[in-house]
Amino acid sequence: MSIRIRALGTCIGAEADGVDLREPLSAAQAQQIHAAMDRYAVLVFHDQPLTNDEHLAFTSALGTLENTMNNNLRDAADFRLPSIFADVSNLDGKNQPYGREDRRRLFALGNRLWHSDSSFKSVPAKYSLLRALSIPSRGGNTEFAHMGAAYEALDDETKALIEDLVCEHSQLFSREAIGFRDFTPEERERFRPVRQRLVRTLPGSGRKSIYLSSHAGTILGWPLPEARMLLRDLTEHATQREFVYSHKWQVNDLVMWDNRQTMHRGRPFPAGEARDVRRTTLKGEAPTVEQAVAA
């Protein structure tokens, strides 16, 4: 059965229905999803009451899973989910919301900055698939910005300027931007910077996009203040409302997005309320630049 795809009416995003993600995907359905992701960058599936195993099976049908265990500050006693999931909830190992001053919560506040998942890895992420089990009484939307549309709106001089630039990405950069510097030596080593191209080309469509993220903190060969200003200017340009879709979550929504051509950010919600959202991530095809760093 073919999946029905309906554009959301902006330059980014579509709703997909006519498919039960608890059932195995056919090869034709998988191909349809990949084509829709190339075109729309974000797909929304409503009313999908998946188990963790079903969520993993759907993700695996689309590519190679990325292990996200070392992406946050949780320790083994705090894991609620298998390590193949990114637990981006605000819940501790006992399913209680983090306290306001908890360093795990403060670190996670960095997700409210515009970013691309796993851009801090030498092989960055392809798709992310986030599923909502419980949501707060208000707030907590996720916003997505289309980096392909943003690139195409740049003037020719800026396109030429950024074409061959290489940035360094690290969670150290994004967290220090919000004033979080409470890293152990082991964490600083784990989050050491990796290099990424500033302009990427999507393999399936040949479309170019700006590869931006709050994790990007330097540009190779540029003075740091000048690099930071260019990255800030590009981010301001790329997150104008014309390039953005804001998703208001419902329980059992599954939203997937293409990290190669989007940025996203979470929005605030009441700190004491549970927000249980779980993400699987597909590994990208290759490094964007050759580098000795392994992540």
Side-chain angles (χ1 to χ4, degrees):
M1 180 180 295
S2 179
I3 301 171
R4 295 187 295 272
I5 307 293
R6 183 181 65 83
L8 292 172
T10 64
C11 73
I12 181 173
E15 290 183 328
D17 60 19
V19 61
D20 184 343
L21 301 185
R22 294 171 295 184
E23 300 297 326
L25 281 185
S26 68
Q29 288 174 324
Q31 184 177 18
Q32 189 180 5
I33 288 172
H34 286 301
M37 290 293 283
D38 279 350
R39 180 173 180 181
Y40 298 109
V42 177
L43 282 182
V44 178
F45 298 85
H46 293 298
D47 300 319
Q48 300 289 340
L50 305 178
T51 65
N52 286 340
D53 286 344
E54 289 164 345
H55 186 162
L56 284 172
F58 172 57
T59 309
S60 299
L62 298 171
T64 302
L65 285 159
E66 175 188 283
N67 193 307
T68 59
M69 182 172 63
N70 292 324
N71 291 8
N72 55 48
L73 302 189
R74 292 178 183 266
D75 56 32
D78 195 32
F79 289 159
R80 302 186 314 127
L81 305 171
S83 62
I84 204 67
F85 279 90
D87 188 349
V88 287
S89 72
N90 65 333
L91 304 175
D92 63 20
K94 297 180 180 179
N95 290 312
Q96 297 301 309
Y98 292 138
R100 194 173 188 87
E101 300 296 326
D102 193 300
R103 72 187 291 265
R104 296 165 297 182
R105 175 181 178 272
L106 299 178
F107 178 87
L109 290 180
N111 292 327
R112 296 182 187 175
L113 299 173
W114 288 106
H115 65 284
S116 177
D117 288 336
S118 297
S119 75
F120 48 81
K121 295 187 176 184
S122 57
V123 178
K126 184 179 181 181
Y127 301 160
S128 293
L129 298 90
L130 188 65
R131 160 175 138 253
L133 279 77
S134 66
I135 56 176
S137 61
R138 64 185 186 278
N141 289 7
T142 303
E143 296 182 339
F144 301 91
H146 200 307
M147 298 296 98
Y151 174 85
E152 289 156 6
L154 292 172
D155 59 76
D156 290 342
E157 182 178 355
T158 304
K159 289 178 182 177
L161 172 67
I162 68 175
E163 177 66 27
D164 296 319
L165 296 182
V166 174
C167 300
E168 288 189 319
H169 290 235
S170 171
Q171 290 196 93
L172 298 175
F173 297 139
S174 56
R175 272 46 186 185
E176 287 174 355
I178 62 169
F180 184 94
R181 299 179 176 86
D182 181 22
F183 293 104
T184 67
E186 181 276 330
E187 289 163 350
R188 289 188 177 276
E189 173 61 20
R190 192 197 327 160
F191 299 141
R192 64 196 184 281
V194 302
R195 297 177 177 181
Q196 307 289 2
R197 289 185 56 87
L198 185 51
V199 177
R200 296 186 66 177
T201 301
L202 198 66
S205 65
R207 189 179 191 182
K208 287 187 175 182
S209 66
I210 320 171
Y211 193 39
L212 288 170
S213 179
S214 60
H215 307 313
T218 67
I219 299 174
L220 296 187
W222 280 45
L224 183 58
E226 189 176 15
R228 294 275 174 92
M229 287 309 304
L230 176 62
L231 293 171
R232 178 174 292 189
D233 286 347
L234 289 171
T235 299
E236 289 180 358
H237 162 77
T239 55
Q240 296 176 86
R241 300 316 301 178
E242 64 195 272
F243 304 129
V244 171
Y245 160 65
S246 181
H247 182 71
K248 182 176 176 60
W249 287 94
Q250 303 172 41
V251 171
N252 293 327
D253 278 354
L254 184 142
V255 179
M256 61 185 298
W257 62 90
D258 188 339
N259 289 288
R260 303 166 302 175
Q261 57 172 334
T262 64
M263 282 198 297
H264 63 283
R265 65 175 180 175
R267 305 311 294 140
F269 59 92
E273 295 186 17
R275 182 176 186 265
D276 191 346
V277 288
R278 306 174 180 193
R279 193 188 85 219
T280 50
T281 314
L282 287 179
K283 190 174 183 179
E285 297 86 355
T288 65
V289 295
E290 293 300 322
Q291 55 195 303
V293 176

